[in-house]
Amino acid sequence: MEQNQFSKPLVSQSTALHLCFWLGTFGAHNFYAGKTVRGVVQLISAFIFPIITLVVMFIDLYAIIKGTYVDGQNRGLELNASKWPKKIYGLFYPAMVGLIILAVIVAVVVPKIMG
């Protein structure tokens, strides 16, 4: 990790991953990465359009896991963690998407069967 005295320390991928997973709907990972405007927009949107911010959180979570998420200065994240958090969240991501799809199907089908 190369830094001079004026550069901001690199953003940790593991910290961004945990912030996105636990507080991603509110944009905590965006604030941490230096994307303040995007964080504020996501924070306000979380109370107005919660489903949209949840989808954005999953997209960001996927980008952090794949390593394509960049910080506010368009730099990649610092890879300082073991591969276990990426593996755990990497397994969680497809499972959560599957559960959301299943919930939508049940929400559409069950009222038609019952009604």
Side-chain angles (χ1 to χ4, degrees), residues 27-97:
H29 59 290
N30 291 321
F31 287 111
Y32 173 70
K35 297 180 174 183
T36 310
V37 174
R38 182 174 173 171
V40 168
V41 168
Q42 192 167 356
L43 179 62
I44 293 169
S45 298
F47 297 103
I48 301 170
F49 308 109
I51 301 299
I52 294 172
T53 56
L54 185 67
V55 170
V56 170
M57 183 214 46
F58 278 118
I59 292 169
D60 287 346
L61 186 65
Y62 181 74
I64 293 170
I65 291 170
K66 295 302 270 183
T68 58
Y69 188 81
V70 294
D71 67 3
Q73 297 177 353
N74 211 18
R75 298 180 299 189
L77 303 181
E78 179 184 13
L79 304 174
N80 63 349
S82 68
K83 295 187 179 197
W84 284 107
K86 286 177 68 174
K87 287 183 180 180
I88 290 169
Y89 291 126
L91 291 174
F92 175 80
Y93 181 76
M96 185 56 78
V97 170

